[in-house]
Short mmCIF file of all heavy atoms in Angstrom, two decimals:
data_model
loop_
_atom_site.label_atom_id
_atom_site.label_comp_id
_atom_site.label_asym_id
_atom_site.label_seq_id
_atom_site.Cartn_x
_atom_site.Cartn_y
_atom_site.Cartn_z
N VAL T 1 216.37 84.90 193.13
CA VAL T 1 216.47 83.77 192.21
C VAL T 1 217.82 83.08 192.39
O VAL T 1 218.87 83.74 192.44
CB VAL T 1 216.30 84.22 190.74
CG1 VAL T 1 216.35 83.02 189.80
CG2 VAL T 1 214.99 84.97 190.57
N PHE T 2 217.78 81.74 192.46
CA PHE T 2 218.98 80.92 192.58
C PHE T 2 218.98 79.87 191.48
O PHE T 2 217.93 79.40 191.05
CB PHE T 2 219.03 80.20 193.93
CG PHE T 2 219.29 81.09 195.12
CD1 PHE T 2 218.28 81.90 195.62
CD2 PHE T 2 220.53 81.12 195.73
CE1 PHE T 2 218.50 82.72 196.72
CE2 PHE T 2 220.77 81.93 196.82
CZ PHE T 2 219.75 82.73 197.32
N HIS T 3 220.19 79.49 191.05
CA HIS T 3 220.36 78.43 190.06
C HIS T 3 221.25 77.35 190.67
O HIS T 3 222.39 77.62 191.05
CB HIS T 3 220.99 78.98 188.78
CG HIS T 3 221.20 77.95 187.72
ND1 HIS T 3 222.16 78.06 186.73
CD2 HIS T 3 220.59 76.75 187.49
CE1 HIS T 3 222.11 77.01 185.94
NE2 HIS T 3 221.18 76.19 186.39
N VAL T 4 220.72 76.13 190.79
CA VAL T 4 221.49 75.00 191.32
C VAL T 4 222.05 74.22 190.13
O VAL T 4 221.29 73.77 189.26
CB VAL T 4 220.60 74.08 192.19
CG1 VAL T 4 221.43 72.91 192.72
CG2 VAL T 4 219.99 74.87 193.34
N LYS T 5 223.37 74.06 190.13
CA LYS T 5 224.02 73.32 189.04
C LYS T 5 225.06 72.38 189.64
O LYS T 5 225.21 72.30 190.86
CB LYS T 5 224.63 74.28 188.03
CG LYS T 5 225.43 75.41 188.63
CD LYS T 5 225.77 76.46 187.58
CE LYS T 5 226.50 77.63 188.21
NZ LYS T 5 226.83 78.66 187.21
N GLU T 6 225.78 71.67 188.77
CA GLU T 6 226.70 70.63 189.25
C GLU T 6 227.81 71.20 190.13
O GLU T 6 228.27 70.54 191.07
CB GLU T 6 227.32 69.90 188.06
CG GLU T 6 228.12 68.68 188.44
CD GLU T 6 228.55 67.85 187.25
OE1 GLU T 6 228.29 68.28 186.10
OE2 GLU T 6 229.15 66.78 187.46
N SER T 7 228.22 72.42 189.88
CA SER T 7 229.28 73.04 190.67
C SER T 7 228.76 73.68 191.96
O SER T 7 229.53 74.27 192.71
CB SER T 7 230.00 74.11 189.84
OG SER T 7 229.09 75.10 189.38
N GLY T 8 227.46 73.60 192.20
CA GLY T 8 226.85 74.18 193.40
C GLY T 8 225.80 75.21 193.03
O GLY T 8 225.53 75.48 191.86
N TRP T 9 225.19 75.80 194.07
CA TRP T 9 224.16 76.81 193.79
C TRP T 9 224.81 78.17 193.53
O TRP T 9 225.92 78.45 193.97
CB TRP T 9 223.16 76.90 194.94
CG TRP T 9 223.75 77.20 196.29
CD1 TRP T 9 224.04 76.31 197.27
CD2 TRP T 9 224.13 78.49 196.81
NE1 TRP T 9 224.57 76.94 198.37
CE2 TRP T 9 224.64 78.28 198.11
CE3 TRP T 9 224.09 79.78 196.30
CZ2 TRP T 9 225.09 79.32 198.92
CZ3 TRP T 9 224.55 80.82 197.11
CH2 TRP T 9 225.04 80.59 198.39
N GLU T 10 224.08 78.98 192.78
CA GLU T 10 224.56 80.33 192.45
C GLU T 10 223.40 81.31 192.58
O GLU T 10 222.31 81.07 192.05
CB GLU T 10 225.11 80.36 191.02
CG GLU T 10 225.62 81.72 190.59
CD GLU T 10 226.09 81.75 189.15
OE1 GLU T 10 226.12 80.68 188.51
OE2 GLU T 10 226.42 82.84 188.64
N PHE T 11 223.62 82.40 193.29
CA PHE T 11 222.61 83.44 193.43
C PHE T 11 222.59 84.28 192.16
O PHE T 11 223.61 84.83 191.75
CB PHE T 11 222.92 84.32 194.64
CG PHE T 11 221.96 85.46 194.83
CD1 PHE T 11 220.62 85.23 195.05
CD2 PHE T 11 222.42 86.77 194.78
CE1 PHE T 11 219.74 86.29 195.23
CE2 PHE T 11 221.55 87.84 194.95
CZ PHE T 11 220.20 87.60 195.18
N LYS T 12 221.41 84.40 191.54
CA LYS T 12 221.31 85.07 190.24
C LYS T 12 220.80 86.50 190.33
O LYS T 12 220.84 87.23 189.34
CB LYS T 12 220.41 84.26 189.30
CG LYS T 12 220.85 82.83 189.09
CD LYS T 12 222.26 82.73 188.56
CE LYS T 12 222.39 83.22 187.13
NZ LYS T 12 223.74 82.94 186.58
N GLY T 13 220.29 86.91 191.49
CA GLY T 13 219.90 88.30 191.61
C GLY T 13 218.64 88.52 192.43
O GLY T 13 217.87 87.60 192.71
N ASN T 14 218.49 89.78 192.84
CA ASN T 14 217.31 90.25 193.58
C ASN T 14 216.60 91.28 192.72
O ASN T 14 217.22 92.23 192.23
CB ASN T 14 217.75 90.85 194.92
CG ASN T 14 216.61 91.51 195.67
OD1 ASN T 14 216.33 92.68 195.48
ND2 ASN T 14 215.96 90.75 196.53
N PHE T 15 215.28 91.09 192.53
CA PHE T 15 214.53 91.94 191.60
C PHE T 15 213.30 92.50 192.31
O PHE T 15 212.46 91.74 192.80
CB PHE T 15 214.10 91.13 190.38
CG PHE T 15 215.22 90.40 189.70
CD1 PHE T 15 215.51 89.09 190.04
CD2 PHE T 15 216.01 91.02 188.74
CE1 PHE T 15 216.55 88.40 189.44
CE2 PHE T 15 217.05 90.34 188.13
CZ PHE T 15 217.33 89.03 188.48
N ASP T 16 213.22 93.83 192.39
CA ASP T 16 212.09 94.48 193.04
C ASP T 16 210.82 94.26 192.24
O ASP T 16 210.80 94.47 191.02
CB ASP T 16 212.37 95.98 193.17
CG ASP T 16 211.28 96.69 193.95
OD1 ASP T 16 210.30 97.15 193.32
OD2 ASP T 16 211.41 96.77 195.18
N VAL T 17 209.74 93.83 192.91
CA VAL T 17 208.52 93.49 192.17
C VAL T 17 207.85 94.73 191.58
O VAL T 17 207.12 94.65 190.58
CB VAL T 17 207.52 92.71 193.05
CG1 VAL T 17 208.11 91.38 193.47
CG2 VAL T 17 207.10 93.52 194.27
N GLY T 18 208.08 95.90 192.21
CA GLY T 18 207.53 97.13 191.64
C GLY T 18 208.12 97.45 190.28
O GLY T 18 207.41 97.82 189.34
N GLU T 19 209.43 97.27 190.17
CA GLU T 19 210.09 97.51 188.88
C GLU T 19 209.71 96.42 187.87
O GLU T 19 209.55 96.71 186.67
CB GLU T 19 211.60 97.54 189.09
CG GLU T 19 212.07 98.69 189.97
CD GLU T 19 213.56 98.65 190.24
OE1 GLU T 19 214.23 97.74 189.71
OE2 GLU T 19 214.05 99.53 190.98
N LEU T 20 209.57 95.19 188.35
CA LEU T 20 209.16 94.11 187.44
C LEU T 20 207.77 94.36 186.87
O LEU T 20 207.49 94.02 185.72
CB LEU T 20 209.18 92.76 188.17
CG LEU T 20 210.55 92.17 188.51
CD1 LEU T 20 210.38 90.86 189.26
CD2 LEU T 20 211.37 91.94 187.24
N HIS T 21 206.90 94.96 187.68
CA HIS T 21 205.53 95.22 187.23
C HIS T 21 205.54 96.08 185.97
O HIS T 21 204.88 95.76 184.97
CB HIS T 21 204.73 95.91 188.34
CG HIS T 21 203.35 96.30 187.92
ND1 HIS T 21 202.32 95.40 187.80
CD2 HIS T 21 202.84 97.51 187.57
CE1 HIS T 21 201.23 96.02 187.41
NE2 HIS T 21 201.52 97.31 187.25
N TRP T 22 206.28 97.18 186.02
CA TRP T 22 206.30 98.08 184.87
C TRP T 22 207.07 97.47 183.70
O TRP T 22 206.76 97.73 182.54
CB TRP T 22 206.89 99.43 185.27
CG TRP T 22 206.05 100.10 186.31
CD1 TRP T 22 206.36 100.34 187.61
CD2 TRP T 22 204.71 100.57 186.12
NE1 TRP T 22 205.31 100.94 188.25
CE2 TRP T 22 204.28 101.10 187.37
CE3 TRP T 22 203.83 100.61 185.04
CZ2 TRP T 22 203.02 101.65 187.55
CZ3 TRP T 22 202.56 101.16 185.23
CH2 TRP T 22 202.17 101.67 186.46
N GLU T 23 208.07 96.66 184.00
CA GLU T 23 208.80 95.98 182.94
C GLU T 23 207.90 95.04 182.16
O GLU T 23 207.90 95.02 180.92
CB GLU T 23 209.97 95.19 183.54
CG GLU T 23 210.76 94.38 182.53
CD GLU T 23 211.84 93.54 183.19
OE1 GLU T 23 212.36 93.95 184.25
OE2 GLU T 23 212.20 92.47 182.64
N TYR T 24 207.07 94.26 182.88
CA TYR T 24 206.19 93.31 182.20
C TYR T 24 204.99 94.00 181.57
O TYR T 24 204.47 93.53 180.55
CB TYR T 24 205.72 92.24 183.20
CG TYR T 24 206.82 91.29 183.62
CD1 TYR T 24 206.94 90.89 184.94
CD2 TYR T 24 207.74 90.81 182.70
CE1 TYR T 24 207.95 90.03 185.34
CE2 TYR T 24 208.75 89.96 183.08
CZ TYR T 24 208.85 89.56 184.41
OH TYR T 24 209.87 88.71 184.78
N GLN T 25 204.55 95.12 182.15
CA GLN T 25 203.43 95.85 181.57
C GLN T 25 203.80 96.45 180.22
O GLN T 25 202.94 96.65 179.36
CB GLN T 25 202.97 96.96 182.51
CG GLN T 25 202.25 96.47 183.74
CD GLN T 25 200.97 95.74 183.42
OE1 GLN T 25 200.14 96.22 182.65
NE2 GLN T 25 200.81 94.55 183.98
N ALA T 26 205.08 96.75 180.02
CA ALA T 26 205.53 97.36 178.77
C ALA T 26 205.64 96.34 177.63
O ALA T 26 205.75 96.72 176.46
CB ALA T 26 206.89 98.03 178.98
N ILE T 27 205.59 95.04 177.96
CA ILE T 27 205.67 94.02 176.91
C ILE T 27 204.33 93.90 176.20
O ILE T 27 203.31 93.73 176.86
CB ILE T 27 206.09 92.67 177.54
CG1 ILE T 27 207.46 92.79 178.21
CG2 ILE T 27 206.10 91.58 176.47
CD1 ILE T 27 207.88 91.53 178.94
N PRO T 28 204.30 93.98 174.87
CA PRO T 28 203.02 93.86 174.14
C PRO T 28 202.36 92.50 174.44
O PRO T 28 203.02 91.46 174.48
CB PRO T 28 203.44 93.97 172.68
CG PRO T 28 204.75 94.66 172.70
CD PRO T 28 205.43 94.24 173.97
N LYS T 29 201.05 92.54 174.63
CA LYS T 29 200.31 91.31 174.91
C LYS T 29 199.96 90.60 173.61
O LYS T 29 199.60 91.21 172.62
CB LYS T 29 199.01 91.65 175.66
CG LYS T 29 199.23 92.43 176.95
CD LYS T 29 200.01 91.64 177.96
CE LYS T 29 200.07 92.34 179.31
NZ LYS T 29 200.80 93.62 179.27
N GLY T 30 200.09 89.28 173.62
CA GLY T 30 199.74 88.49 172.46
C GLY T 30 198.24 88.30 172.34
O GLY T 30 197.48 88.62 173.25
#
């Protein structure tokens, strides 16, 4: 993920999709 702003672009991080899967699965569904 990158964020482009007036001072230039900034790298915001690298996130493993395997870990994201369990992170989002733990969120209660509406």
Side-chain angles (χ1 to χ4, degrees):
V1 182
F2 290 76
H3 179 205
V4 180
K5 46 191 177 180
E6 189 171 4
S7 58
W9 57 262
E10 180 183 354
F11 177 62
K12 303 303 291 188
N14 173 271
F15 308 92
D16 185 271
V17 297
E19 296 176 2
L20 288 179
H21 176 76
W22 297 112
E23 177 184 331
Y24 290 138
Q25 288 298 311
I27 299 175
K29 304 296 188 296

